[in-house]
Short mmCIF file of all heavy atoms in Angstrom, two decimals:
data_model
loop_
_atom_site.label_atom_id
_atom_site.label_comp_id
_atom_site.label_asym_id
_atom_site.label_seq_id
_atom_site.Cartn_x
_atom_site.Cartn_y
_atom_site.Cartn_z
N MET A 94 19.18 3.56 -23.18
CA MET A 94 17.75 3.62 -22.83
C MET A 94 17.11 4.74 -23.65
O MET A 94 17.66 5.79 -23.86
CB MET A 94 17.59 3.95 -21.33
CG MET A 94 16.14 3.88 -20.86
SD MET A 94 15.96 4.40 -19.14
CE MET A 94 16.72 2.97 -18.32
N ASP A 95 15.93 4.45 -24.15
CA ASP A 95 15.18 5.43 -24.91
C ASP A 95 14.64 6.52 -24.01
O ASP A 95 13.84 6.25 -23.12
CB ASP A 95 14.07 4.71 -25.66
CG ASP A 95 13.34 5.68 -26.60
OD1 ASP A 95 13.70 6.86 -26.64
OD2 ASP A 95 12.40 5.22 -27.27
N ARG A 96 15.13 7.73 -24.20
CA ARG A 96 14.72 8.81 -23.28
C ARG A 96 13.32 9.32 -23.62
O ARG A 96 12.73 10.09 -22.83
CB ARG A 96 15.70 9.99 -23.40
CG ARG A 96 17.08 9.59 -22.82
CD ARG A 96 18.02 10.71 -23.00
NE ARG A 96 17.62 11.94 -22.34
CZ ARG A 96 18.21 13.14 -22.48
NH1 ARG A 96 19.22 13.24 -23.31
NH2 ARG A 96 17.76 14.17 -21.88
N SER A 97 12.76 8.94 -24.75
CA SER A 97 11.46 9.47 -25.15
C SER A 97 10.30 8.78 -24.44
O SER A 97 9.22 9.30 -24.32
CB SER A 97 11.29 9.39 -26.66
OG SER A 97 11.22 8.06 -27.04
N SER A 98 10.54 7.56 -23.93
CA SER A 98 9.49 6.90 -23.18
C SER A 98 10.11 6.11 -22.03
O SER A 98 11.19 5.56 -22.19
CB SER A 98 8.65 6.02 -24.08
OG SER A 98 9.36 4.82 -24.34
N ARG A 99 9.38 6.11 -20.93
CA ARG A 99 9.86 5.41 -19.76
C ARG A 99 8.76 4.57 -19.23
O ARG A 99 7.59 4.83 -19.45
CB ARG A 99 10.37 6.43 -18.70
CG ARG A 99 11.51 7.25 -19.17
CD ARG A 99 12.05 8.11 -18.07
NE ARG A 99 12.64 7.29 -16.99
CZ ARG A 99 13.15 7.79 -15.86
NH1 ARG A 99 13.16 9.07 -15.65
NH2 ARG A 99 13.67 6.98 -14.96
N ARG A 100 9.12 3.55 -18.46
CA ARG A 100 8.10 2.65 -17.89
C ARG A 100 7.58 3.21 -16.58
O ARG A 100 8.33 3.47 -15.63
CB ARG A 100 8.69 1.25 -17.66
CG ARG A 100 7.63 0.26 -17.24
CD ARG A 100 8.18 -1.14 -17.12
NE ARG A 100 8.65 -1.64 -18.45
CZ ARG A 100 7.83 -2.18 -19.37
NH1 ARG A 100 6.56 -2.29 -19.17
NH2 ARG A 100 8.32 -2.60 -20.48
N CYS A 101 6.29 3.37 -16.50
CA CYS A 101 5.61 3.92 -15.35
C CYS A 101 5.64 2.85 -14.24
O CYS A 101 5.32 1.70 -14.50
CB CYS A 101 4.19 4.33 -15.71
SG CYS A 101 3.16 4.75 -14.29
N ILE A 102 6.03 3.26 -13.05
CA ILE A 102 6.11 2.33 -11.93
C ILE A 102 4.69 1.97 -11.40
O ILE A 102 4.57 1.00 -10.66
CB ILE A 102 6.94 2.86 -10.77
CG1 ILE A 102 6.40 4.20 -10.24
CG2 ILE A 102 8.39 2.99 -11.18
CD1 ILE A 102 6.40 4.29 -8.75
N VAL A 103 3.70 2.77 -11.72
CA VAL A 103 2.36 2.52 -11.21
C VAL A 103 1.60 1.57 -12.10
O VAL A 103 1.09 0.55 -11.68
CB VAL A 103 1.59 3.83 -11.03
CG1 VAL A 103 0.14 3.54 -10.50
CG2 VAL A 103 2.33 4.73 -10.06
N CYS A 104 1.48 1.92 -13.41
CA CYS A 104 0.69 1.09 -14.33
C CYS A 104 1.55 0.17 -15.19
O CYS A 104 1.02 -0.74 -15.80
CB CYS A 104 -0.18 1.99 -15.22
SG CYS A 104 0.75 3.02 -16.36
N GLY A 105 2.84 0.41 -15.23
CA GLY A 105 3.73 -0.47 -15.97
C GLY A 105 3.73 -0.17 -17.49
O GLY A 105 4.46 -0.87 -18.20
N GLU A 106 3.01 0.84 -17.90
CA GLU A 106 2.98 1.19 -19.32
C GLU A 106 4.18 2.05 -19.64
O GLU A 106 4.67 2.82 -18.81
CB GLU A 106 1.70 1.97 -19.64
CG GLU A 106 0.42 1.20 -19.41
CD GLU A 106 0.25 0.11 -20.46
OE1 GLU A 106 0.62 0.33 -21.61
OE2 GLU A 106 -0.27 -0.98 -20.09
N GLU A 107 4.62 1.98 -20.87
CA GLU A 107 5.70 2.86 -21.32
C GLU A 107 5.07 4.09 -21.92
O GLU A 107 4.30 4.03 -22.90
CB GLU A 107 6.61 2.15 -22.33
CG GLU A 107 7.36 1.02 -21.67
CD GLU A 107 8.71 0.75 -22.38
OE1 GLU A 107 9.03 1.50 -23.31
OE2 GLU A 107 9.32 -0.23 -22.05
N ARG A 108 5.40 5.26 -21.36
CA ARG A 108 4.82 6.51 -21.81
C ARG A 108 5.91 7.59 -21.89
O ARG A 108 6.93 7.55 -21.21
CB ARG A 108 3.72 6.96 -20.87
CG ARG A 108 2.52 5.99 -20.78
CD ARG A 108 1.45 6.62 -19.95
NE ARG A 108 0.49 5.65 -19.46
CZ ARG A 108 -0.59 5.25 -20.19
NH1 ARG A 108 -0.81 5.74 -21.39
NH2 ARG A 108 -1.42 4.37 -19.73
N ALA A 109 5.60 8.55 -22.77
CA ALA A 109 6.60 9.63 -22.96
C ALA A 109 6.34 10.79 -22.01
O ALA A 109 7.29 11.47 -21.60
CB ALA A 109 6.50 10.15 -24.43
N VAL A 110 5.09 10.99 -21.58
CA VAL A 110 4.76 12.12 -20.75
C VAL A 110 4.49 11.69 -19.31
O VAL A 110 3.72 10.74 -19.07
CB VAL A 110 3.49 12.83 -21.30
CG1 VAL A 110 3.17 14.04 -20.43
CG2 VAL A 110 3.75 13.26 -22.72
N GLY A 111 5.15 12.35 -18.38
CA GLY A 111 4.94 12.03 -16.99
C GLY A 111 5.97 12.73 -16.11
O GLY A 111 6.70 13.61 -16.63
N ILE A 112 6.06 12.36 -14.85
CA ILE A 112 7.00 13.00 -13.95
C ILE A 112 8.02 11.95 -13.49
O ILE A 112 7.70 10.81 -13.32
CB ILE A 112 6.28 13.64 -12.75
CG1 ILE A 112 5.43 12.61 -11.99
CG2 ILE A 112 5.45 14.82 -13.18
CD1 ILE A 112 5.01 13.06 -10.61
N ALA A 113 9.23 12.44 -13.26
CA ALA A 113 10.27 11.56 -12.72
C ALA A 113 10.45 11.90 -11.26
O ALA A 113 10.61 13.05 -10.90
CB ALA A 113 11.55 11.76 -13.49
N ILE A 114 10.38 10.90 -10.42
CA ILE A 114 10.66 11.07 -9.00
C ILE A 114 11.91 10.27 -8.69
O ILE A 114 11.92 9.06 -8.80
CB ILE A 114 9.48 10.55 -8.14
CG1 ILE A 114 8.23 11.37 -8.49
CG2 ILE A 114 9.80 10.71 -6.64
CD1 ILE A 114 6.98 10.92 -7.73
N TRP A 115 12.99 10.99 -8.32
CA TRP A 115 14.30 10.38 -8.22
C TRP A 115 14.57 9.70 -9.52
O TRP A 115 14.50 10.32 -10.56
CB TRP A 115 14.39 9.45 -7.02
CG TRP A 115 14.21 10.22 -5.74
CD1 TRP A 115 15.04 11.16 -5.25
CD2 TRP A 115 13.10 10.15 -4.80
NE1 TRP A 115 14.55 11.66 -4.08
CE2 TRP A 115 13.40 11.09 -3.75
CE3 TRP A 115 11.92 9.39 -4.76
CZ2 TRP A 115 12.55 11.28 -2.71
CZ3 TRP A 115 11.07 9.61 -3.69
CH2 TRP A 115 11.36 10.53 -2.67
N ASP A 116 14.86 8.41 -9.56
CA ASP A 116 15.12 7.76 -10.81
C ASP A 116 13.90 6.93 -11.31
O ASP A 116 14.01 6.12 -12.21
CB ASP A 116 16.36 6.85 -10.71
CG ASP A 116 16.14 5.77 -9.64
OD1 ASP A 116 15.31 5.92 -8.75
OD2 ASP A 116 16.88 4.78 -9.69
N GLN A 117 12.74 7.21 -10.69
CA GLN A 117 11.56 6.50 -11.09
C GLN A 117 10.66 7.36 -11.93
O GLN A 117 10.81 8.59 -11.93
CB GLN A 117 10.80 6.01 -9.84
CG GLN A 117 11.63 5.14 -8.91
CD GLN A 117 12.08 3.84 -9.57
OE1 GLN A 117 11.32 3.22 -10.26
NE2 GLN A 117 13.36 3.49 -9.33
N PHE A 118 9.71 6.74 -12.59
CA PHE A 118 8.86 7.52 -13.50
C PHE A 118 7.40 7.19 -13.23
O PHE A 118 7.02 6.05 -13.08
CB PHE A 118 9.23 7.17 -14.97
CG PHE A 118 8.36 7.82 -15.97
CD1 PHE A 118 8.57 9.18 -16.31
CD2 PHE A 118 7.37 7.14 -16.62
CE1 PHE A 118 7.76 9.76 -17.27
CE2 PHE A 118 6.57 7.78 -17.61
CZ PHE A 118 6.79 9.11 -17.93
N ILE A 119 6.55 8.24 -13.21
CA ILE A 119 5.13 8.05 -13.12
C ILE A 119 4.50 8.80 -14.28
O ILE A 119 4.76 9.95 -14.50
CB ILE A 119 4.59 8.62 -11.81
CG1 ILE A 119 5.20 7.88 -10.61
CG2 ILE A 119 3.06 8.54 -11.76
CD1 ILE A 119 4.83 8.42 -9.25
N CYS A 120 3.70 8.08 -15.10
CA CYS A 120 3.14 8.65 -16.27
C CYS A 120 2.06 9.71 -15.92
O CYS A 120 1.51 9.69 -14.81
CB CYS A 120 2.57 7.58 -17.20
SG CYS A 120 1.05 6.82 -16.61
N HIS A 121 1.79 10.55 -16.88
CA HIS A 121 0.87 11.63 -16.63
C HIS A 121 -0.53 11.17 -16.16
O HIS A 121 -1.04 11.72 -15.17
CB HIS A 121 0.76 12.54 -17.88
CG HIS A 121 -0.03 13.78 -17.64
ND1 HIS A 121 0.38 14.82 -16.84
CD2 HIS A 121 -1.27 14.12 -18.10
CE1 HIS A 121 -0.56 15.73 -16.81
NE2 HIS A 121 -1.56 15.35 -17.63
N PRO A 122 -1.15 10.19 -16.84
CA PRO A 122 -2.47 9.70 -16.38
C PRO A 122 -2.41 9.21 -14.95
O PRO A 122 -3.34 9.53 -14.16
CB PRO A 122 -2.75 8.56 -17.36
CG PRO A 122 -1.99 8.89 -18.59
CD PRO A 122 -0.71 9.52 -18.08
N CYS A 123 -1.37 8.50 -14.58
CA CYS A 123 -1.29 7.99 -13.18
C CYS A 123 -1.05 9.14 -12.21
O CYS A 123 -1.56 9.14 -11.12
CB CYS A 123 -0.15 6.97 -13.06
SG CYS A 123 -0.54 5.39 -13.86
N GLU A 124 -0.24 10.13 -12.64
CA GLU A 124 0.02 11.26 -11.77
C GLU A 124 -1.29 11.99 -11.49
O GLU A 124 -1.58 12.35 -10.36
CB GLU A 124 1.04 12.20 -12.44
CG GLU A 124 1.42 13.37 -11.55
CD GLU A 124 1.77 14.60 -12.33
OE1 GLU A 124 1.94 14.52 -13.58
OE2 GLU A 124 1.83 15.67 -11.74
N GLN A 125 -2.05 12.23 -12.56
CA GLN A 125 -3.33 12.88 -12.42
C GLN A 125 -4.27 12.12 -11.50
O GLN A 125 -4.97 12.66 -10.67
CB GLN A 125 -3.97 13.14 -13.74
CG GLN A 125 -3.27 14.18 -14.57
CD GLN A 125 -3.21 15.54 -13.88
OE1 GLN A 125 -4.24 16.12 -13.58
NE2 GLN A 125 -2.02 16.03 -13.61
N GLU A 126 -4.28 10.82 -11.71
CA GLU A 126 -5.15 9.96 -10.92
C GLU A 126 -4.76 9.98 -9.44
O GLU A 126 -5.59 10.07 -8.56
CB GLU A 126 -5.09 8.54 -11.47
CG GLU A 126 -6.33 7.71 -11.05
CD GLU A 126 -6.34 6.36 -11.72
OE1 GLU A 126 -5.48 6.10 -12.63
OE2 GLU A 126 -7.21 5.58 -11.36
N MET A 127 -3.44 10.00 -9.23
CA MET A 127 -2.94 10.04 -7.84
C MET A 127 -3.28 11.35 -7.17
O MET A 127 -3.73 11.38 -6.05
CB MET A 127 -1.42 9.88 -7.88
CG MET A 127 -0.90 9.16 -6.67
SD MET A 127 0.92 9.03 -6.75
CE MET A 127 1.12 8.03 -8.18
N VAL A 128 -3.12 12.44 -7.94
CA VAL A 128 -3.43 13.76 -7.39
C VAL A 128 -4.91 13.87 -7.07
O VAL A 128 -5.31 14.47 -6.07
CB VAL A 128 -3.05 14.86 -8.40
CG1 VAL A 128 -3.66 16.21 -8.00
CG2 VAL A 128 -1.54 14.98 -8.48
N ASN A 129 -5.75 13.23 -7.90
CA ASN A 129 -7.20 13.35 -7.73
C ASN A 129 -7.78 12.24 -6.86
O ASN A 129 -9.00 12.24 -6.64
CB ASN A 129 -7.87 13.31 -9.11
CG ASN A 129 -7.50 14.55 -9.93
OD1 ASN A 129 -7.40 15.65 -9.39
ND2 ASN A 129 -7.34 14.37 -11.23
N THR A 130 -6.92 11.35 -6.38
CA THR A 130 -7.45 10.25 -5.58
C THR A 130 -7.64 10.70 -4.14
O THR A 130 -6.71 11.19 -3.52
CB THR A 130 -6.48 9.03 -5.63
OG1 THR A 130 -6.40 8.56 -6.94
CG2 THR A 130 -6.98 7.92 -4.73
N ASP A 131 -8.83 10.48 -3.66
CA ASP A 131 -9.10 10.83 -2.29
C ASP A 131 -8.45 9.77 -1.36
O ASP A 131 -8.31 8.62 -1.78
CB ASP A 131 -10.65 10.80 -2.06
CG ASP A 131 -11.00 11.41 -0.71
OD1 ASP A 131 -10.94 10.65 0.30
OD2 ASP A 131 -11.29 12.58 -0.65
N VAL A 132 -8.07 10.18 -0.17
CA VAL A 132 -7.41 9.24 0.75
C VAL A 132 -8.32 8.09 1.15
O VAL A 132 -7.85 7.04 1.58
CB VAL A 132 -6.89 9.97 2.03
CG1 VAL A 132 -5.75 10.89 1.71
CG2 VAL A 132 -8.04 10.67 2.74
N LEU A 133 -9.59 8.29 0.98
CA LEU A 133 -10.54 7.18 1.30
C LEU A 133 -10.81 6.28 0.11
O LEU A 133 -11.47 5.27 0.25
CB LEU A 133 -11.88 7.80 1.78
CG LEU A 133 -11.73 8.63 3.07
CD1 LEU A 133 -13.11 9.22 3.45
CD2 LEU A 133 -11.21 7.83 4.25
N ASP A 134 -10.31 6.66 -1.04
CA ASP A 134 -10.52 5.87 -2.23
C ASP A 134 -9.76 4.56 -2.08
O ASP A 134 -8.68 4.49 -1.54
CB ASP A 134 -9.94 6.62 -3.47
CG ASP A 134 -10.40 5.98 -4.76
OD1 ASP A 134 -9.92 4.84 -5.05
OD2 ASP A 134 -11.20 6.60 -5.48
N GLU A 135 -10.35 3.48 -2.58
CA GLU A 135 -9.73 2.14 -2.42
C GLU A 135 -8.41 2.05 -3.21
O GLU A 135 -7.62 1.18 -2.92
CB GLU A 135 -10.69 1.05 -2.86
CG GLU A 135 -11.06 1.15 -4.36
CD GLU A 135 -12.04 0.04 -4.71
OE1 GLU A 135 -12.54 -0.69 -3.82
OE2 GLU A 135 -12.33 -0.10 -5.92
N LYS A 136 -8.20 2.96 -4.16
CA LYS A 136 -6.96 2.93 -4.93
C LYS A 136 -5.81 3.54 -4.17
O LYS A 136 -4.64 3.33 -4.47
CB LYS A 136 -7.10 3.70 -6.26
CG LYS A 136 -7.77 2.89 -7.35
CD LYS A 136 -7.78 3.71 -8.61
CE LYS A 136 -8.40 2.93 -9.77
NZ LYS A 136 -8.54 3.80 -10.98
N TYR A 137 -6.13 4.38 -3.18
CA TYR A 137 -5.09 5.14 -2.48
C TYR A 137 -4.00 4.27 -1.85
O TYR A 137 -2.84 4.56 -2.03
CB TYR A 137 -5.72 6.05 -1.43
CG TYR A 137 -4.83 7.16 -0.99
CD1 TYR A 137 -4.59 8.27 -1.79
CD2 TYR A 137 -4.14 7.11 0.21
CE1 TYR A 137 -3.72 9.28 -1.38
CE2 TYR A 137 -3.28 8.11 0.64
CZ TYR A 137 -3.08 9.20 -0.17
OH TYR A 137 -2.22 10.18 0.23
N PRO A 138 -4.37 3.20 -1.16
CA PRO A 138 -3.33 2.29 -0.59
C PRO A 138 -2.40 1.74 -1.68
O PRO A 138 -1.22 1.51 -1.42
CB PRO A 138 -4.14 1.18 0.05
CG PRO A 138 -5.47 1.81 0.39
CD PRO A 138 -5.72 2.73 -0.75
N PHE A 139 -2.95 1.50 -2.86
CA PHE A 139 -2.13 1.00 -3.97
C PHE A 139 -1.06 2.02 -4.35
O PHE A 139 0.10 1.69 -4.54
CB PHE A 139 -3.02 0.66 -5.15
CG PHE A 139 -2.25 0.33 -6.43
CD1 PHE A 139 -1.58 -0.92 -6.52
CD2 PHE A 139 -2.18 1.21 -7.47
CE1 PHE A 139 -0.86 -1.20 -7.69
CE2 PHE A 139 -1.47 0.90 -8.62
CZ PHE A 139 -0.80 -0.28 -8.73
N PHE A 140 -1.50 3.28 -4.47
CA PHE A 140 -0.53 4.34 -4.82
C PHE A 140 0.51 4.48 -3.73
O PHE A 140 1.69 4.61 -4.02
CB PHE A 140 -1.25 5.67 -5.00
CG PHE A 140 -2.07 5.70 -6.27
CD1 PHE A 140 -3.37 6.17 -6.26
CD2 PHE A 140 -1.53 5.31 -7.50
CE1 PHE A 140 -4.13 6.27 -7.42
CE2 PHE A 140 -2.27 5.38 -8.67
CZ PHE A 140 -3.56 5.82 -8.61
N ILE A 141 0.11 4.44 -2.50
CA ILE A 141 1.06 4.55 -1.38
C ILE A 141 2.05 3.44 -1.43
O ILE A 141 3.25 3.62 -1.19
CB ILE A 141 0.26 4.59 -0.01
CG1 ILE A 141 -0.62 5.82 0.08
CG2 ILE A 141 1.27 4.52 1.14
CD1 ILE A 141 0.16 7.16 0.01
N LYS A 142 1.54 2.24 -1.73
CA LYS A 142 2.41 1.07 -1.81
C LYS A 142 3.48 1.26 -2.90
O LYS A 142 4.65 0.99 -2.68
CB LYS A 142 1.57 -0.16 -2.08
CG LYS A 142 2.34 -1.45 -2.11
CD LYS A 142 1.34 -2.62 -2.05
CE LYS A 142 2.05 -3.92 -2.42
NZ LYS A 142 2.03 -4.20 -3.86
N GLN A 143 3.05 1.80 -4.02
CA GLN A 143 3.96 2.03 -5.13
C GLN A 143 4.98 3.09 -4.74
O GLN A 143 6.15 2.94 -5.03
CB GLN A 143 3.18 2.44 -6.37
CG GLN A 143 2.24 1.43 -6.89
CD GLN A 143 2.93 0.18 -7.41
OE1 GLN A 143 3.41 -0.65 -6.60
NE2 GLN A 143 3.06 0.02 -8.69
N MET A 144 4.50 4.14 -4.10
CA MET A 144 5.42 5.21 -3.70
C MET A 144 6.41 4.73 -2.67
O MET A 144 7.59 5.08 -2.70
CB MET A 144 4.63 6.37 -3.14
CG MET A 144 3.72 7.07 -4.12
SD MET A 144 4.56 7.80 -5.53
CE MET A 144 5.29 9.22 -4.70
N ARG A 145 5.96 3.88 -1.79
CA ARG A 145 6.81 3.34 -0.72
C ARG A 145 7.94 2.52 -1.32
O ARG A 145 9.09 2.52 -0.82
CB ARG A 145 5.98 2.51 0.26
CG ARG A 145 6.71 2.12 1.51
CD ARG A 145 5.79 1.54 2.54
NE ARG A 145 4.86 2.51 3.07
CZ ARG A 145 3.66 2.23 3.52
NH1 ARG A 145 3.21 0.97 3.50
NH2 ARG A 145 2.84 3.16 4.01
N GLN A 146 7.62 1.83 -2.40
CA GLN A 146 8.67 1.05 -3.06
C GLN A 146 9.82 1.98 -3.53
O GLN A 146 10.98 1.61 -3.51
CB GLN A 146 8.10 0.31 -4.27
CG GLN A 146 7.29 -0.92 -3.84
CD GLN A 146 6.72 -1.69 -5.00
OE1 GLN A 146 7.03 -1.36 -6.17
NE2 GLN A 146 5.88 -2.64 -4.74
N ILE A 147 9.45 3.17 -4.00
CA ILE A 147 10.45 4.11 -4.44
C ILE A 147 11.30 4.57 -3.28
O ILE A 147 12.52 4.56 -3.30
CB ILE A 147 9.80 5.38 -5.07
CG1 ILE A 147 8.93 4.97 -6.27
CG2 ILE A 147 10.88 6.37 -5.50
CD1 ILE A 147 8.15 6.15 -6.85
N TRP A 148 10.60 4.87 -2.18
CA TRP A 148 11.31 5.35 -1.00
C TRP A 148 12.24 4.30 -0.43
O TRP A 148 13.35 4.56 -0.05
CB TRP A 148 10.30 5.77 0.09
CG TRP A 148 9.53 6.99 -0.26
CD1 TRP A 148 9.99 8.07 -0.99
CD2 TRP A 148 8.18 7.27 0.04
NE1 TRP A 148 8.98 8.98 -1.12
CE2 TRP A 148 7.86 8.54 -0.54
CE3 TRP A 148 7.18 6.58 0.73
CZ2 TRP A 148 6.60 9.13 -0.41
CZ3 TRP A 148 5.91 7.17 0.87
CH2 TRP A 148 5.62 8.45 0.29
N LEU A 149 11.76 3.02 -0.46
CA LEU A 149 12.58 1.95 0.04
C LEU A 149 13.82 1.77 -0.81
O LEU A 149 14.93 1.50 -0.31
CB LEU A 149 11.76 0.63 0.05
CG LEU A 149 10.69 0.57 1.17
CD1 LEU A 149 9.87 -0.68 1.04
CD2 LEU A 149 11.33 0.66 2.58
N LYS A 150 13.64 1.93 -2.13
CA LYS A 150 14.81 1.81 -3.02
C LYS A 150 15.82 2.94 -2.72
O LYS A 150 17.00 2.71 -2.74
CB LYS A 150 14.34 1.92 -4.51
CG LYS A 150 13.77 0.62 -5.02
CD LYS A 150 13.40 0.80 -6.50
CE LYS A 150 12.67 -0.42 -7.01
NZ LYS A 150 12.11 -0.21 -8.37
N GLN A 151 15.27 4.11 -2.47
CA GLN A 151 16.15 5.28 -2.22
C GLN A 151 16.94 5.09 -0.92
O GLN A 151 18.07 5.54 -0.80
CB GLN A 151 15.31 6.57 -2.13
CG GLN A 151 14.82 7.03 -3.48
CD GLN A 151 16.03 7.38 -4.40
OE1 GLN A 151 16.91 8.12 -4.04
NE2 GLN A 151 16.01 6.84 -5.59
N ASN A 152 16.26 4.48 0.06
CA ASN A 152 16.91 4.32 1.37
C ASN A 152 17.74 3.06 1.50
O ASN A 152 18.39 2.85 2.53
CB ASN A 152 15.83 4.36 2.47
CG ASN A 152 15.15 5.70 2.53
OD1 ASN A 152 15.75 6.71 2.22
ND2 ASN A 152 13.89 5.71 2.88
N ALA A 153 17.67 2.20 0.50
CA ALA A 153 18.39 0.94 0.55
C ALA A 153 19.89 1.13 0.57
O ALA A 153 20.40 2.04 -0.06
CB ALA A 153 17.97 0.05 -0.60
ZN1 LIG B 381 1.13 4.97 -15.30
#
């Protein structure tokens, strides 16, 4: 696997910069968007859904 870029679980883009949560990857733009997303924002449930997929994988 190419360590210089990973596929973001949120947007599906392959990016070099981002954060790794367990064995998953979230690119920097998505991370920033997530951090800046208000809980009332319509995108928030989408992020939660994506994060829950990670948790479910970890607990499987
Ligand atoms: Zn992304």
Side-chain angles (χ1 to χ4, degrees):
M94 187 184 289
D95 185 358
R96 292 177 60 189
S97 67
S98 78
R99 299 186 65 182
R100 186 175 297 279
C101 171
I102 59 137
V103 179
C104 66
E106 298 288 325
E107 292 207 7
R108 298 186 197 274
V110 181
I112 57 166
I114 300 178
W115 297 294
D116 61 338
Q117 304 297 318
F118 178 77
I119 298 174
C120 72
H121 187 67
C123 287
E124 184 210 348
Q125 289 301 301
E126 201 174 353
M127 213 181 296
V128 167
N129 294 323
T130 297
D131 192 276
V132 292
L133 299 178
D134 192 292
E135 62 181 9
K136 279 184 179 174
Y137 198 77
F139 171 74
F140 288 133
I141 295 298
K142 183 165 166 274
Q143 298 294 76
M144 296 297 287
R145 190 169 291 151
Q146 284 180 8
I147 301 175
W148 291 326
L149 288 175
K150 279 182 188 172
Q151 285 299 309
N152 294 329

